[in-house]
Amino acid sequence: MLHDLVVQYGPLIVFVNVLAASLGLPVPAMPTLIAFGAMASLHPGSIAPELLTVLVLAIFATLIGDSLWYLAGRVYGARMLNTLCRLSLSRDICVKKTERFFGRWGVRVLVVSRFVPGLSIVSVPMAGAMGTRYRTFLRYNGTGAVLWSGTGLLIGALFARQIEWLLAVASRMSGVALAVIAALLLTYAGYRWVRRQQLIRELMAARIDESELHALMQANDAPIVFDIRSPEHRMLDPFVIPGAQFADERHLETIINTYPRERKFVIYCACPNEVSAAWMAQQLTKAGFADVLPLRGGLDAWRDAGRPLDPLPSLDDAPETSDTLGTPDTPAAATTALPKTL
């Protein structure tokens, strides 16, 4: 029965599955490619001739879905990445790590992004947001699609006998057993979501609103303001709160040794949930800093309230230096240079 199903609908099933996964739906596509590769190896006469067709369809489906994400990044820019922060089951700081990974390797990261969980969902729209030419995007993303699709089919062909045994076991399993497996997968996804909500609630305990920060700055009692967005995100949204200084939560020890513990600090990032800002505030508090608060709503809340913003220097004017921490009295615009567009 499975053989007949694959013979009749195999290429269509692979195309729909890969397209759905590429669009971001929670349906893994690699198992389908592996299963088809295994069936082609076990039935060389009836299924193997469809291998090239399936490979082409898988590549085409990947490019369709990824092109839509690329277009969304091109049109919406940083707002697209903020939306991904809001929807992701992973901590917001994972999105920032992906931004930095893209900043280091540029559009070349698309060649391997599908092999790294969570990387493609951010790197593809970021390629659009960073102004990558579509033909360049297609070249690298297409190469990645070929490698990813071909790897799935090849794994299936190499381990066909083992996969056949697994499929046989699955076919003998009762509906109750399959329901249990599905329930376990849903439970895991639910657990991740609940843990994320718990983390957000824990970190939401202390915040400062943009109106409070603005009042402090107007009263000449301005706290030290840290902008902890990644350099790549600052390229997409090249504005800062006046007087803000760029800081990197990976260099906590440097920050702890540089700044006075008795000063008031406000930290903001790009993601709507401010998780990375809240995490950094938590670490500084543990290190003995007396008053450290994340900015509720981050830079977007400050901007939406109509507060003033300072533009970053243009990429053409900025010196080519690495992302460094400024001194406490150095203006934001002079502390960090932005990298050139890749």
Side-chain angles (χ1 to χ4, degrees):
M1 179 178 178
L2 180 60
H3 171 268
D4 296 337
L5 182 66
V6 172
V7 169
Q8 189 170 2
Y9 300 110
L12 178 61
I13 292 172
V14 171
F15 177 81
V16 172
N17 189 188
V18 173
L19 178 60
S22 182
L23 290 173
L25 299 178
V27 283
M30 182 59 80
T32 304
L33 290 169
I34 292 174
F36 193 95
M39 293 294 291
S41 178
L42 294 170
H43 305 279
S46 56
I47 298 179
E50 300 287 346
L51 265 179
L52 181 59
T53 300
V54 166
L55 178 62
V56 171
L57 286 174
I59 295 169
F60 189 51
T62 301
L63 292 178
I64 291 175
D66 286 357
S67 292
L68 292 175
W69 280 108
Y70 167 89
L71 180 62
R74 193 68 181 254
V75 172
Y76 297 106
R79 286 179 292 170
M80 184 73 248
L81 300 181
N82 289 349
T83 300
L84 292 175
C85 280
R86 187 180 288 111
L87 297 177
S88 175
L89 287 178
S90 301
R91 289 179 56 184
D92 300 340
I93 199 168
C94 294
V95 177
K96 182 188 290 187
K97 288 179 179 178
T98 304
E99 291 173 1
R100 287 173 174 151
F101 196 73
F102 188 94
R104 180 177 180 182
W105 297 103
V107 71
R108 298 185 298 275
V109 76
L110 295 176
V111 174
V112 298
S113 64
R114 289 199 164 271
F115 294 95
V116 182
L119 182 58
S120 64
I121 197 64
V122 177
S123 59
V124 170
M126 191 161 189
M130 299 287 280
T132 303
R133 291 181 180 178
Y134 186 61
R135 64 187 181 189
T136 303
F137 166 79
L138 280 181
R139 182 167 72 249
Y140 287 101
N141 196 60
T143 302
V146 171
L147 291 175
W148 178 76
S149 302
T151 298
L153 294 172
L154 180 60
I155 290 174
L158 292 176
F159 298 94
R161 292 301 175 186
Q162 292 85 346
I163 294 170
E164 181 184 34
W165 177 81
L166 289 174
L167 292 175
V169 171
S171 66
R172 290 195 294 268
M173 293 177 67
S174 65
V176 174
L178 293 175
V180 169
I181 293 175
L184 289 174
L185 292 175
L186 290 174
T187 300
Y188 174 72
Y191 169 77
R192 290 285 305 276
W193 185 84
V194 169
R195 282 294 301 144
R196 174 178 169 80
Q197 298 307 310
Q198 288 177 344
L199 175 65
I200 291 173
R201 283 196 296 271
E202 290 172 5
L203 296 178
M204 285 288 287
R207 287 288 192 275
I208 184 172
D209 292 322
E210 54 79 23
S211 57
E212 298 175 69
L213 175 58
H214 185 256
L216 289 173
M217 296 173 70
Q218 292 295 103
N220 295 321
D221 188 22
I224 295 175
V225 180
F226 284 154
D227 180 331
I228 65 167
R229 295 175 297 162
S230 68
E232 294 70 38
H233 205 111
R234 294 198 295 268
M235 291 175 68
L236 300 178
D237 187 4
F239 295 92
V240 295
I241 292 175
Q245 299 167 38
F246 300 150
D248 192 328
E249 71 276 5
R250 296 172 298 178
H251 302 153
L252 270 176
E253 194 64 31
T254 301
I255 296 171
I256 290 170
N257 294 331
T258 301
Y259 290 86
R261 285 169 167 75
E262 66 276 4
R263 288 289 302 275
K264 184 178 184 69
F265 293 83
V266 173
I267 305 173
Y268 71 85
C269 55
C271 278
N273 297 320
E274 314 104 38
V275 171
S276 54
W279 178 87
M280 183 172 173
Q282 198 175 62
Q283 300 308 306
L284 291 177
T285 300
K286 290 179 180 178
F289 285 76
D291 193 356
V292 187
L293 293 173
L295 177 62
R296 191 186 306 278
L299 184 62
D300 286 344
W302 182 268
R303 176 187 285 111
D304 293 343
R307 307 301 183 190
L309 290 168
D310 281 348
L312 293 175
S314 67
L315 294 178
D316 293 333
D317 297 334
E320 294 193 44
T321 58
S322 61
D323 188 9
T324 56
L325 181 68
T327 58
D329 297 319
T330 305
T335 57
T336 307
L338 297 179
K340 296 286 184 183
T341 303
L342 298 166

